Amino acid sequence: VTMDVAGADPSVKSWTGLLTMGNARFVYASSDPRIATVAVDGSGAVRVVANANGYYGDTVISVYDTETHMEGRLVVTVRQQLYTDAGGWVSQPAAPKIAAAGNYSIALKSDSTVWSWGTAGSIAYPTQVTRTGTAPLTNIVDIAAGTATAAAVDAAGVVYTWGYNSSVVTTALPITSFGSQKVVKLASGNGFTLALTEQGTVWSWGTSNSNGQLGNGASTASTTPVRVRGAVGGSNERYQLDSVVAIAAGNATAAALRADGTIVVWGYNGYGQVGYGQTNADAGGASQLWNNKDLHMVVRAGAATDTTYDKYLRGATGVAVGDQSVIALLRSHGVYGWGANANGQLGTGAAAATVTLPAAAVLTWAADGDHAVRVSAYGARSLVTTGRGNLYAAGDNSKGVSALAQGAD
């Protein structure tokens, strides 16, 4: 769902289709109330209201049924509206975003154009990305930066990529091999890219798949998009992973947040980042490649995670993947992490080589009455954004990154 915000005239979305949706048994929440809030009005309708303070970006609206324990998720994107010289508000086509990987960065502006700078071509200042010749890449709604390639998707669902592809590609090339499904979000790792469709399915492609990071049940590279597989075996078998609302990718591991509040992970599992209680060496000391996962696994609950009725981590509203670790935000605003933790990047207050099940991070910000609203990760570091706009970091501090970010405005 896309909403616009301008000055003191916020956009409002209402849902009234279900007679019981406003019943007290249902608990609604917004992962980032700065972006949009959710509440039930006097008529029982659920109302999502965009902020009136100029904030933009994504928030996850969740609903929890206290009787059945079932959950649902809806991602709301809030865009800016600008006041023109001619008078009146004009909606901007995109919510601004910055993505970075390796030694380059890309930026999506509110006018839906994309700019890049960094080592590719030794560009020291932002340069507009083109699709062919001098024709600019426009109408873009999301971007992603991988180790060697960058990607963007436009409002029609057409994906564009550029970067290293056996040779350097300096103009954005289109990809339309997603059947009849419309791509809305992207994520990139080391040599592979993920695409989330409007239908809640995930596609992947790339030159790196030796650890199963494409999630299609194979370990061979694919230069065209393939479907990330769903549950395998039994009556619940699904050909394609579905009901996904957010995706994330790291070095050789990928993750997806599903509408029911669970997280699934696939790919490299050398540090337990797949989240099912084992690493790829637990079967006998030496690394067992088969214990990496080329099909997704549902993340299990650790001993310290929020109450769960079936031993799986539930209630998630956000997920991020670092180099060898995963971090999640829950509906309760709790933060949990698993995988590599030698640099303390999980924020648990203690370093350990591997953490194979979700462990609770120390909520440093809680002492100030603050709460987590967003998580992100890169390399051996994890970042948490709070409701007051503060940024906290944990992990590798060899370059002073964590020290500068901890509690910064």
Side-chain angles (χ1 to χ4, degrees), residues 52-374:
N53 301 314
Y55 286 105
Y56 53 82
D58 294 342
T59 185
V60 175
I61 303 299
S62 62
V63 55
Y64 174 67
D65 187 336
T66 58
E67 293 185 8
T68 67
H69 303 294
M70 296 181 67
E71 300 189 40
R73 299 288 184 279
L74 175 71
V75 177
V76 170
T77 300
V78 173
R79 306 175 303 188
Q80 290 177 309
Q81 287 187 325
L82 299 181
Y83 197 80
T84 65
D85 293 336
W89 295 99
V90 175
S91 297
Q92 297 299 290
K97 180 179 180 179
I98 292 178
N103 296 314
Y104 78 98
S105 302
I106 57 176
L108 171 62
K109 295 180 63 177
S110 62
D111 64 2
S112 78
T113 61
V114 180
W115 300 71
S116 67
W117 61 98
T119 56
S122 298
I123 300 173
Y125 53 87
T127 301
Q128 190 166 6
V129 177
T130 59
R131 62 181 86 214
T132 54
T134 59
L137 195 60
T138 58
N139 205 29
I140 300 302
V141 295
D142 194 34
I143 55 174
T147 301
T149 59
V153 60
D154 68 16
V158 178
V159 174
Y160 294 86
T161 60
W162 64 98
Y164 187 77
N165 187 37
S166 75
S167 62
V168 177
V169 178
T170 57
T171 57
L173 302 177
I175 300 175
T176 57
S177 308
F178 303 97
S180 60
Q181 299 182 8
K182 178 183 176 182
V183 175
V184 293
K185 294 289 184 181
L186 299 168
S188 291
N190 185 0
F192 72 103
T193 302
L194 305 177
L196 172 62
T197 70
E198 196 173 52
Q199 292 77 10
T201 61
V202 183
W203 297 68
S204 62
W205 66 95
T207 57
S208 297
N209 193 30
S210 59
N211 294 294
Q213 52 265 55
L214 297 189
N216 64 332
S219 58
T220 55
S222 179
T223 57
T224 58
V226 295
R227 299 170 187 263
V228 174
R229 287 288 305 275
V232 177
S235 59
N236 292 324
E237 183 164 0
R238 291 182 173 86
Y239 180 64
Q240 189 167 8
L241 179 62
D242 58 16
S243 301
V244 174
V245 297
I247 52 177
N251 182 22
T253 308
L257 169 64
R258 302 188 72 231
D260 63 0
T262 60
I263 293 173
V264 297
V265 184
W266 61 96
Y268 183 62
N269 191 41
Y271 296 88
Q273 57 264 53
V274 174
Y276 68 101
Q278 291 185 336
T279 71
N280 65 2
D282 285 346
S287 176
Q288 305 292 321
L289 292 180
W290 54 263
N291 224 20
N292 295 328
K293 297 301 173 183
D294 54 21
L295 295 171
H296 77 262
M297 300 285 290
V298 182
V299 175
R300 299 185 66 83
T305 50
D306 284 6
T307 302
T308 177
Y309 60 90
D310 60 0
K311 299 187 183 303
Y312 290 101
L313 179 68
R314 292 190 175 273
T317 56
V319 62
V321 182
D323 190 13
Q324 309 290 356
S325 59
V326 182
I327 187 169
L329 173 68
L330 300 195
R331 175 170 40 84
S332 63
H333 298 291
V335 176
Y336 293 86
W338 57 98
N341 193 36
N343 292 287
Q345 57 264 51
L346 301 186
T348 59
T354 59
V355 177
T356 60
L357 291 172
V362 178
L363 307 183
T364 310
W365 47 87
D368 298 325
D370 209 350
H371 59 276
V373 298
R374 193 174 305 273

Side-chain angles (χ1 to χ4, degrees), residues 323 340-347 350-353 379-382 393-398 402:
D323 190 13
N341 193 36
N343 292 287
Q345 57 264 51
L346 301 186
R381 306 175 190 91
S382 298
D396 180 19
N397 195 32
S398 59
S402 297

